[in-house]
Amino acid sequence: MVSESLKKLSIGIILFLATSWSSFSQTLLDKVVASVNGEPILMTDVILGKSFYNTDDERVVLQQLIDTWLLSQYVESRGAYVSDEYVDNMLLDIAKANNKSLDKLIEDLHKQNISAQDLKNFLRKLILSTQALDMLLLKEVRVSDVEAEIEKLRRGNLKLVKEIKLLVVDKKDSQKLSQLLEKERDLDKIAQSLGIKIEHLEVGKGELIDTLDREIWKAGKGEIVFAEDENHIYTAQVLGQKEVSDGVNTETLKEELIQKKLESTRKDLLERLKKRSFIRVKG
């Protein structure tokens, strides 16, 4: 599972260097603007944060950085870390996203008075506070089948769908299809023999042509049914049936609920960390 925060991180990487920064001296960039439990946040981090968070509002960026520092410290206290190799690979990804070699990326960073190590440190914090945190929280966040069913009922609009394999064969190949069916009932193998693609579908009642729809809804699990129209022969195997809510199946619904729980757990954790941490912002 890819967390929303990790997706955001990927977007931030692509946006990196897309923003043109004003020229800052290294002294200014190294200025400590805040500290979280004694760990400094530098002006360099604020400049990088402007690009990542896509805003020039330094107050907004600084608050985001404080949250990032708090969460990354928590993850580190639980024994997690990010290897140098992982961060180096991310630097390569940034270079590729900007159509640059790694050497050219580092050269452009230096022109902005930012070192490769500055960026590495910044990325390490982001990774710890996003994907590493989610991996840690996922050990505690669970969604049961009962919770998923309750959510389906809460949403309403339940409908029954059939899971099927569907093979659509041109009528000119009908004789070959019949010959294959005499020897083989595995639709995947038949599709391979015919050189056509087999479809795996979830269909509600009335979503297929009438003749095929009727046969599918009369069939039980594992049964193979047939239908045809003017140009095609339809061969379908029923794999099972299930209820879905607004077109969302149970597994997808569970993923949505897990993401909501992760966000809520992350928010509660951050509030607890803020209450017991020493945060200093320098004016």
Side-chain angles (χ1 to χ4, degrees):
M1 181 181 64
V2 179
S3 70
E4 291 304 313
S5 51
L6 181 53
K7 290 178 184 175
K8 185 177 179 182
L9 178 57
S10 300
I11 293 171
I13 289 172
I14 293 172
L15 290 174
F16 183 73
L17 291 181
T19 303
S20 176
W21 299 319
S22 301
S23 179
F24 290 86
S25 70
Q26 192 62 45
T27 302
L28 177 58
L29 288 178
D30 282 344
K31 176 185 175 184
V32 176
V33 295
S35 64
V36 179
N37 296 319
E39 186 177 9
I41 296 175
L42 304 177
M43 181 57 73
T44 308
D45 301 311
V46 174
I47 301 305
L48 290 168
K50 284 183 178 181
S51 179
F52 175 70
Y53 297 117
N54 197 28
T55 177
D56 288 326
D57 191 328
E58 291 190 4
R59 290 176 298 176
V60 172
V61 172
L62 186 55
Q63 186 55 61
Q64 293 277 13
L65 292 176
I66 289 171
D67 292 351
T68 296
W69 260 236
L70 284 168
L71 293 173
S72 64
Q73 287 173 1
Y74 171 78
V75 173
E76 286 180 310
S77 74
R78 300 290 295 272
Y81 70 96
V82 180
S83 69
D84 291 337
E85 181 182 6
Y86 191 94
V87 177
D88 288 341
N89 286 335
M90 189 158 284
L91 275 182
L92 287 172
D93 289 341
I94 292 173
K96 289 178 183 177
N98 287 276
N99 297 314
K100 300 176 186 290
S101 67
L102 183 58
D103 287 342
K104 177 60 175 172
L105 173 69
I106 293 173
E107 179 185 333
D108 288 347
L109 284 170
H110 286 164
K111 288 178 182 178
Q112 302 292 343
N113 292 317
I114 296 175
S115 70
Q117 192 59 50
D118 290 332
L119 180 54
K120 284 184 180 183
N121 293 340
F122 183 79
L123 289 174
R124 194 181 302 273
K125 288 289 187 185
L126 290 177
I127 296 164
L128 284 167
S129 65
T130 54
Q131 65 185 106
L133 176 64
D134 282 355
M135 290 175 66
L136 190 63
L137 296 181
L138 277 172
K139 295 177 181 179
E140 305 169 7
V141 173
R142 293 287 184 273
V143 173
S144 67
D145 290 338
V146 172
E147 288 177 285
E149 291 303 317
I150 290 173
E151 179 64 15
K152 282 183 182 180
L153 293 172
R154 187 189 69 79
R155 292 188 181 191
N157 299 322
L158 291 176
K159 73 173 183 176
L160 195 64
V161 298
K162 290 272 191 178
E163 299 174 89
I164 65 169
K165 288 181 182 179
L166 178 62
L167 195 59
V168 182
V169 180
D170 194 290
K171 273 196 171 178
K172 66 182 176 61
D173 294 321
S174 60
Q175 186 174 355
K176 188 174 182 181
L177 174 63
S178 297
Q179 291 171 346
L180 288 168
L181 284 167
E182 288 176 4
K183 303 174 184 178
E184 180 64 68
R185 305 298 283 180
D186 187 324
L187 295 191
D188 291 286
K189 292 181 180 179
I190 292 175
Q192 188 175 9
S193 297
L194 291 170
I196 59 179
K197 182 181 178 182
I198 193 166
E199 300 288 342
H200 292 252
L201 305 172
E202 293 182 359
V203 294
K205 204 162 189 176
E207 293 180 1
L208 299 171
I209 63 168
D210 291 342
T211 52
L212 181 59
D213 190 75
R214 285 196 299 269
E215 294 301 320
I216 283 175
W217 285 94
K218 286 191 296 185
K221 184 176 180 180
E223 288 187 51
I224 294 177
V225 298
F226 304 91
E228 61 181 81
D229 60 18
E230 185 178 348
N231 300 310
H232 302 97
I233 297 172
Y234 302 92
T235 306
Q237 183 176 30
V238 176
L239 304 178
Q241 67 181 39
K242 59 186 177 182
E243 284 185 333
V244 297
S245 175
D246 293 324
V248 179
N249 64 38
T250 300
E251 291 307 311
T252 302
L253 184 58
K254 279 186 175 182
E255 286 292 331
E256 290 181 11
L257 293 175
I258 284 174
Q259 286 300 323
K260 286 182 180 179
K261 281 193 174 184
L262 274 177
E263 186 59 37
S264 177
T265 303
R266 189 184 297 113
K267 183 178 179 180
D268 291 342
L269 172 63
L270 191 54
E271 290 304 312
R272 292 198 306 271
L273 292 174
K274 285 179 178 179
K275 288 177 181 178
R276 66 182 191 223
S277 298
F278 180 69
I279 301 168
R280 182 182 179 191
V281 177
K282 298 189 176 182

